[in-house]
Each structure stands twice: as C-alpha cells, then as structure tokens.
C-alpha cells in the first residue's frame, strides 16, 4: 500500500509560568526563542517541514495567541494547515480529539508539544517513520526518552514485551512520581520519560477515546459539528467544548488502552521546563548570555543571563539565573529555579 | 550688628554614575529619591527652608537639568532664588565663584553639595549659626565629619590649633588618601572627613580665589559680566566660563589659604556614594526594598532591592544589590558596588 503522508499535530495550548518573567500569559514558552533564533513553535514546525513526508501541520492553540502563531509560522517561511482555536483549555485529550476529528480517520497523526527541544531531529524523524507501520496497524505509538536523572516533573513509561526492533509494548504509564519511585524507575533501566509525542491513526485514537472517555469524545464531536471556519482558522463551538472533562491524553487513553507501543529514542530532547534546564542546554552550546538586550557580564561565573529589550549588568556573581524583560526581573540561584512559581504566585496575590 | 540672613548655595552640577542604573546623565544622583520620599536636592533645600534665617537658595547646576531642578523645588513647596546654569562643568571652585559674584560681597554663603544626606539637621543648623560669627570675620569655615572608617574616597581635614569652642584652625586639607594614610588619619584622631560644606562671606571667598587662582576668578567674572538672565534663570557666558581652569574649591583655595576654620559635627552625614552606602543607610531605617515598582523578596537576605517602573523578584539570594529600572538592571554583591563603574565603562565602550 502507498504510505500516507503523516499529519503533524502541534499542541500550542500551554500557558505555563515556569519561565517567568520571559513567559507570561500573552507570550507563553512555545512563542519564545529560548534556544537559538527560532521560537519553540517555529522549531517544532520546521522539524516536520518536509512536505514530501509530512502534510502541513495542524496547530491546536488558544484564540489569544492565534495572531502570534500565524505570524511566527509565516515569518519562519513555514506553512500550516488548519489552526484549531480551543475555546477553553481542557488539557491534551480533548485538544487532540479536535485535531483527530478534523482529519480523515485513516490519517496518521504525529502529535507533538510545541514547546520542547529536540536537538537531534534526524533520529527523531527516523523513529517516526519506522513507527508509522505500527500506527497503521492501529497501535498508539509513543516515543520514550531514556532518563538521565530521577526527574519528578515528568511521566514515565514502563517498557513491556519487545514486539519489534527497538519497539516494546508499553506495560504502564505513570504520572509524575515521587522521588523514591523515580529513583527506582531510573535504576531499573526499564522506564523511559514520556515526552508527550505520539503517532497514531486519527480513527484509532478516537476509538480508544470513545471507549474510555466518551464524554470527551462527545464534547469534542459536538464542538466540531458546530465549528466556524474562517480561512485556515477553525473555531470549535465554545459551549459544547466547555462541557468536556479536562484530561491529559496519558490519563484519558494511554494509561488504559492495551495496544500501546513505545520506542526509546535518543534525540537530544528537553522540555525546557525551567531556567535550570535552559542553563543545561546552554552549557552544551557554551552560551549563557542571550536575549535582544545588552548583557554585560563581569566576573559572572556559571550564570544564566538573559535580557530582552533592556540592559543587564551582572558583576562578581556566581551561579545565578538573572532574567530581565521590560516588565520584570527575576534573580534566583541555579538549582532553585522551580521556585519562580512562588514569585509568580505572590505577584498574582498582590494584583488588585 | 544685625546678623544677615545666610544665603544657601546648593551645588547641583554632579553627574556621577556610582549609583547606576538609577543615576544616569539625565537624572543624576541629586535628582533621585534615594532615602525617603524627597530627592536629595529637595532634602538639601528643605534643610535650609527657614526663611527667617536663610535667604532663598542659589542653585548652581547644569542647563541640562534646569527644568527638573525647578520642578523638584516647586513640587516640594520650596522656593529658590537664582538658578545659575553652568555652561560647562568646571568643578566646584568656578561654580562657587559664580554664586559669590551673584551675591553681595558681604553676604554669608552656606555652600552645600546637593546630593549628600544629613540625617540630623538640627545640630547641623546649630553649627552653621555658631560658625556665622567666624565667617563674618572673614574666616573660610568648614564642617568636618568624624571618620568611622579609613575611607579612601573622601578628602580629610587635619585639625590644628583650637581657636574657639569646638572650632579649630585647619592645619591641612588632604585629597583622597591611599589606604595606609587613611588608616593613620583615623588612628590619629585629629583628622575629619571633608564633607564639602562651607560657610564664608562671598567677598572673602573671592579675595582668596583671586589670590590663588586669578584665572578662575577672571573667567567667572567675565562670564557673569556677560550673563543673560531669564526670570530666575541666570546663564553665565559660555565662552568666558569655558576659559576657567577646572578645579575643586579644596584644591584651589582651601589647601592654600591661611584663615580656614573647621568644626567637627555629628550630623548623620552620608555622601550616598555607592549602593553599599545606601544599604548602610537602609539598615538604620530597616528598609531594603524600595522604588516605584513592585519588589517581591522571598528568602532574600541582606539584599538591597530597588525597582523603579518595573517588577523585581529576588528568590533565595543573599548579600546582593539588585537595582532595576525600565532601562537597565544591575546585580552585584554587597561590598563590591564600587565596581559598578566597570559595567558603566563597558557599556560606554560598546555604544556605537
């Protein structure tokens, strides 16, 4: 049979604050250039830009960011297919359902977060194409990242029976574990990080979703049935979509379905989930001062310095993360950058 | 005889960068609110606002800051006499000559920097009035600050023969000494810091200036002879003033003249010459976070945090000075804040 092109589905609904003050609700992580010239969204779309092998990507995002998404895709010389604008945030299972409902049931969908880094795209693409034969046979296929530390911020996938070359049936999906369990997973050698990248037939996903989460499928179907289209923009009906439970794909489908496959990949992946993670990425590239503003570093050792639209001078400091924008400045030691949440919460509390 | 009112002469020509990024050429230290609600200039003028004892102050400043000076004086509900706008910066001896030439020779002038802090104004004013009898007899009178550390950034005055209650003939004026000499001065107990505050008859100053620095007196006289007046603003002639040598009053007159008196005063003085100095002042008031912006401090110990027109979050940091404006951010450890100069120089070099 002729291999269908794969349709990338890029999930751009995130609005986290872990990279505050650079990421803010109007300018979330995926719309920022964190590692290099391209924004995370641009880099994600560029990774699947070979139109001989991929259809134009479907992007699922928030109406709030529609203009920025379109501008960024155009500015990078890329194209996109439908831009599905979620009327409300309902986590990944409903978001992916919208994209699957917009596709033909036989279409192969490559679901990807828009805000992760993949430094080695070639082995990633090789793994995707190798996986497409499994997906064509109605496996829900995932890509596991070999853990190098007992990270408690990620989900884990336990490899089960080997069913092909480098391909395993997934024995279990585990949500973010406590540290002791994470350490045991890493020590066992049979768990991989769940990077949130999936390959499956649209129809296969919808079938499993309907089996385990019929209310999600029902809400997404109703919202798409009344959707309004404006060029490439697709607006699912708000009231219908809002009726969906809010669930991740892991929780809604992956933890429950049986025909799940996982292949471990070594692709230079990072979720860029904290300023510490960005420091580690910078170490690889040797670059710790960035941004559109001026950075003056004098005897600043092992610091991550970033200034956008503002001047930053760091003198005689060690092991600090300093992020400066025209709105706000963060100064926090390396190794503590998850505490940015405390600062964001305090600012939100103070808001009148 | 009837005691004449004293005419304050406020020197506002400074344009230092030691408090960068808050102080910049367009907004030098004296125009900033560093310790409390008032700017340093406002606090200086407010200190001598009792019109029963002081005439309206003469302010000598730069044309660049004329509007800000007038606004600040008015905003504080104060008044000022003549605002003399130096056509060029020629240090204090020529600046004071302009003010002395604008006065009657018999007027008592109280010369003060505009950017120093005096936390106990009452003993300061008492000392000034006690000194006025000496100044009326053509002594050039100075006020010495008892040193509490071997500061190398200040000039020192050696006390000589006692000539009155708490009043000494000045034996020597010494420019900023090396550390070993500064330590010896402090140990000797007979040296005071030169705070740059003077009281003398206008005619007495001009006489000594003419004796030791006739070119300065000649240039200042020529500039005032051709000065242009616009309401309270006085513009000395630029070409004539530019011909003056650039000299401090210490170097031009105080180190050379014989009839110099000094009285040590305990007035809570600080030149606020660095962010470290401002931290020390803040310790007294218990306040280390300031500015018009929002400051969020979480586990920030012994830090000086200031944000103007921007939000600053400092989490888990110790002994840092963090100053954020809408233009620039400085992060530097306490005890090293004199190194701000290195950052300013590097930025100036980079300027196209």
């Amino acid at each position: 049979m002729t291999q269908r092109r794969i349709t990338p589905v890029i999930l751009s609904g995130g609005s986290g604050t872990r990279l505050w003050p650079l990421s803010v609700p109007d300018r979330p992580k995926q719309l920022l250039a964190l590692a290099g010239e391209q924004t995370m969204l641009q880099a994600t779309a560029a990774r699947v830009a070979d139109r001989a092998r991929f259809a134009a990507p479907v992007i699922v995002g928030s109406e709030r960011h529609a203009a920025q998404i379109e501008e960024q895709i155009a500015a990078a010389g890329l194209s996109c297919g439908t831009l599905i604008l979620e009327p409300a945030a309902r986590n990944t299972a409903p978001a992916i359902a919208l994209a699957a409902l917009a596709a033909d049931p036989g279409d192969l969908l490559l679901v990807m977060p828009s805000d992760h880094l993949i430094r080695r795209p070639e082995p990633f693409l090789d793994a995707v194409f190798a996986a497409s034969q499994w997906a064509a046979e109605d496996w829900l296929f995932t890509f596991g990242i070999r853990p190098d530390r007992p990270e408690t911020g990620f989900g884990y996938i336990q490899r089960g029976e080997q069913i092909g070359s480098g391909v395993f049936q997934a024995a279990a999906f585990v949500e973010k574990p406590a540290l002791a369990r994470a350490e045991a997973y890493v020590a066992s050698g049979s768990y991989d990080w769940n990077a949130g990248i999936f390959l499956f037939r649209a129809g296969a996903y919808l079938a499993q979703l309907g089996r385990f989460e019929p209310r999600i499928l029902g809400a997404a179907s109703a919202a798409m049935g009344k959707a309004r289209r404006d060029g490439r923009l697709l607006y699912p009906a708000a009231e219908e979509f809002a009726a969906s439970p809010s669930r991740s794909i892991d929780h809604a489908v992956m933890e429950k379905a049986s025909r799940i496959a996982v292949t471990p990949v070594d692709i230079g992946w990072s979720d860029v989930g904290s300023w510490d993670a960005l420091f580690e990425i910078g170490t690889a590239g040797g670059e710790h001062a960035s941004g559109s503003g001026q950075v003056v570093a004098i005897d600043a050792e092992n610091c991550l310095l970033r200034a956008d639209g503002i001047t930053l001078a760091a003198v005689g400091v060690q092991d600090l993360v300093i992020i400066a924008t025209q709105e706000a400045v963060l100064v926090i030691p390396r190794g503590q950058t998850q505490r940015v949440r405390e600062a964001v919460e305090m600012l939100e509390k103070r808001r009148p």
Side-chain angles (χ1 to χ4, degrees), chain A residues 46-262:
Chain A
R47 209 174 287 139
V48 291
D50 178 356
R51 290 285 163 273
R53 311 205 283 183
F54 291 102
V58 171
I59 301 178
V60 187
S62 156
E63 190 170 338
R64 182 177 198 170
H65 305 132
Q68 287 184 80
I69 290 171
E70 287 200 285
E71 277 168 27
Q72 290 198 356
I73 294 295
L78 300 164
S79 58
C80 81
T82 301
L83 173 48
I84 302 177
L85 298 169
E86 296 173 284
R90 285 291 181 271
N91 211 327
T92 49
I96 296 166
L98 297 177
L101 290 161
D104 285 336
D107 284 352
L108 283 180
L109 306 184
L110 174 63
V111 176
M112 296 179 291
S114 57
D115 60 350
H116 291 179
L117 189 67
I118 292 178
R119 275 167 292 178
R120 290 189 288 281
E122 279 311 317
F124 170 65
L125 296 177
D126 291 346
V128 166
F129 295 118
S132 59
Q133 60 172 311
W134 295 85
E137 292 172 11
D138 280 356
W139 286 82
L140 307 187
F141 208 93
T142 71
F143 303 85
I145 308 294
R146 196 60 61 86
D148 59 13
R149 61 185 189 277
E151 175 66 53
T152 57
F154 302 151
Y156 286 71
I157 307 170
Q158 185 184 17
R159 291 192 297 280
E161 187 191 347
Q162 183 158 1
I163 54 177
S165 170
V167 179
F168 301 82
Q169 185 145 18
F173 270 71
V174 190
E175 293 259 11
K176 300 171 184 177
L179 182 60
R181 290 191 69 187
E183 285 171 342
Y185 292 163
V186 174
S188 77
S190 61
Y191 284 80
D192 296 311
W193 286 335
N194 175 6
I197 306 171
F198 305 99
L199 184 75
F200 41 61
R201 282 202 316 106
Y205 173 71
L206 294 172
Q208 298 300 318
L209 187 67
R211 183 172 162 209
F212 298 112
E213 293 281 359
R215 287 175 58 212
I216 295 179
L217 181 61
S221 300
M224 288 298 275
K226 292 194 184 176
R228 175 171 65 83
R229 184 175 272 280
D230 176 9
R232 75 171 76 250
L233 305 182
L234 190 68
Y235 297 85
E239 198 177 329
E240 283 73 7
F241 191 72
S244 171
S246 185
R247 289 266 198 295
S248 70
I249 179 175
D250 307 279
H251 196 54
V253 173
M254 294 293 159
E255 291 175 7
K256 298 167 184 163
S258 52
R259 210 170 158 81
I260 311 283
V262 58

Side-chain angles (χ1 to χ4, degrees), chain A residues 237-299:
Chain A
E239 198 177 329
E240 283 73 7
F241 191 72
S244 171
S246 185
R247 289 266 198 295
S248 70
I249 179 175
D250 307 279
H251 196 54
V253 173
M254 294 293 159
E255 291 175 7
K256 298 167 184 163
S258 52
R259 210 170 158 81
I260 311 283
V262 58
T263 192
V265 288
D266 181 12
I267 57 178
W269 175 87
S270 168
D271 81 328
V272 197
S274 69
W275 290 116
D276 279 314
L278 206 66
F279 180 88
E280 296 303 328
I281 294 162
T283 305
E287 186 55 74
H288 285 126
S290 63
S292 65
Q294 284 217 62
V295 175
V296 169
I298 299 174
D299 294 342

